[in-house]
Amino acid sequence: MKFDLHSHTFFSDGMLSPADLLARAIERKVDVLAITDHDTLLGLAPAHTAIAEQQLPLQLVNGVEISTSWYEFEIHIVGLAINPADTQLQQRLASQQERRLERAREMARRLTKHNVPDCLEAVMTLANGGAVTRTHFARHLMQIGKASSMAGVFKHYLARGKAGYVPNNWVSLMEAVQWIHDAGGVAVLAHPLRYNLNGKWLTKLMREFAAAGGDAAEVASCQLTPVQKRDVWALCQQFGLVASQGSDFHQPTDWSDLGRGLYLTDDIRTVWQQFPALFPQPESPVESSDKPQLCS
Ligand code: AMP
Ligand code: MN
Ligand code: MN
Ligand code: MN
């Protein structure tokens, strides 16, 4: 049974609709998919509708990816198996969306001073009513010829310290864990190796996340090598966290896709093993007494 517990739709910065995302997940042999858009639950209801109407052979985990501020870093916490009808969570995420809007306005002001005038309207059109993210700015900057690759746009305009970067006051990491638990979910530290933290800071992050009540960290994603997975798993064990896995799919690229590279060795304890009531379970192995007997 293949789990992919981190993905995006066009309700944040993914390119696909929920229905198209589910169709691709099925094509890619994913059995359990979590939709985890940035600070929004908007993709979940249409995904449930598509599954019911088309009787799709896939189980959906209700998720969200919350942006948090931790020291000067932006750390992403994935909430899995949250209750999407939880009004408190909805209100809390609405406050994050307000911060996204305010940041987008400020980003546009700053970019105007760097020869990229009037981009707010174009960016809001690209976001199309969903969460407005730096990815939308990146797409716009590419469309107007400011860079030829996403990596290039981030490097030159949108990364920390660059012209379009606006430091944000997201919710704190500790509060985000609380928000997820209050909504019945499991808190997962997203892509721990993607924050460019040195060993000392990464250890501090894992320690403080665990101390805040965090449950798991992503140990497998598309591009991690076996050695990197072992390193993250070692930190998980040190701080009592279990493992999650997810592609962080936004759109098909040469290096990432739904379900790709999501292998964990058998000794690694997973989030679905740790919280069996919250996740679909792989079919249990055939009991020995049920196994076909050899004729004697
Ligand atoms: P935001 O949450 O608005 O700050 O946007 C962050 C999003 O930008 C991430 O979820 C990624 O999808 C995307 N992103 C961040 N850094 C890069 C990068 N170097 N190249 C491409 N996409 C990036
Ligand atoms: Mn994203
Ligand atoms: Mn992320
Ligand atoms: Mn993500």
Side-chain angles (χ1 to χ4, degrees):
M1 197 163 170
K2 193 182 259 190
F3 288 76
D4 187 336
L5 299 178
H6 188 155
S7 72
H8 296 273
T9 73
F10 63 19
F11 285 99
S12 65
D13 56 354
M15 290 294 265
L16 302 184
S17 68
D20 288 347
L21 180 73
L22 295 169
R24 188 172 185 94
I26 292 165
E27 238 176 75
R28 300 273 314 152
K29 307 268 187 291
V30 171
D31 301 291
V32 181
L33 180 75
I35 291 181
T36 55
D37 277 316
H38 294 289
D39 300 303
T40 181
L41 308 175
L42 284 173
L44 299 175
H48 283 290
T49 303
I51 289 173
E53 282 182 358
Q54 302 170 46
Q55 302 199 355
L56 299 175
L58 180 141
Q59 308 204 55
L60 183 67
V61 172
N62 295 310
V64 64
E65 180 172 16
I66 301 179
S67 290
T68 77
S69 294
W70 182 74
Y71 301 90
E72 74 267 41
F73 304 105
E74 296 187 33
I75 304 296
H76 291 180
I77 308 297
V78 161
L80 296 176
I82 44 94
N83 172 12
D86 187 302
T87 49
Q88 182 173 241
L89 179 63
Q90 290 167 359
Q91 282 163 13
R92 287 167 159 175
L93 294 177
S95 74
Q96 293 274 99
Q97 293 300 339
E98 274 300 313
R99 293 176 205 210
R100 285 190 169 277
L101 260 180
E102 192 42 55
R103 181 187 63 159
R105 291 187 193 110
E106 179 59 24
M107 285 175 74
R109 278 193 284 272
R110 291 191 187 193
L111 286 169
T112 300
K113 293 184 194 148
H114 286 81
N115 286 332
V116 189
D118 303 326
C119 63
L120 188 62
E121 201 181 314
V123 165
M124 296 310 290
T125 303
L126 287 174
N128 194 25
V132 55
T133 71
R134 278 186 291 164
T135 309
H136 297 104
F137 279 87
R139 287 181 190 143
H140 173 67
L141 286 162
M142 279 176 70
Q143 277 172 10
I144 61 172
K146 292 289 179 184
S148 55
S149 72
M150 291 294 274
V153 194
F154 273 88
K155 191 165 163 220
H156 294 294
Y157 290 94
L158 302 176
R160 190 147 63 105
K162 296 299 154 78
Y165 182 77
V166 176
N168 209 280
N169 271 329
W170 303 117
V171 64
S172 76
L173 184 138
M174 291 74 195
E175 284 172 285
V177 171
Q178 191 62 48
W179 287 9
I180 291 164
H181 286 169
D182 286 347
V186 168
V188 182
L189 177 63
H191 42 66
L193 299 189
R194 228 184 291 147
Y195 306 111
N196 290 325
L197 302 176
N198 64 22
K200 184 170 150 252
W201 275 96
L202 181 59
T203 304
K204 184 179 168 71
L205 173 60
M206 301 280 277
R207 181 189 301 112
E208 293 194 11
F209 175 67
D215 303 291
E218 287 179 353
V219 174
S221 55
C222 296
Q223 289 157 286
L224 289 193
T225 65
V227 170
Q228 289 174 315
K229 290 179 189 174
R230 298 301 326 163
D231 289 349
V232 177
W233 176 237
L235 283 169
C236 286
Q237 286 179 295
Q238 189 178 342
F239 298 114
L241 301 169
V242 294
S244 185
Q245 60 181 36
S247 61
D248 197 5
F249 179 82
H250 289 72
Q251 64 192 95
T253 63
D254 288 344
W255 60 89
S256 75
D257 208 335
L258 286 160
R260 180 158 153 197
L262 303 182
Y263 306 107
L264 295 173
T265 48
D266 282 347
D267 57 309
I268 292 181
R269 186 160 179 81
T270 63
V271 73
W272 59 90
Q273 291 167 340
Q274 183 79 357
F275 301 97
L278 297 181
F279 293 89
Q281 293 297 301
E283 278 165 30
S284 49
V286 181
E287 294 290 325
S288 58
S289 59
D290 297 341
K291 279 188 184 155
Q293 300 291 309
L294 287 176
C295 298
S296 54

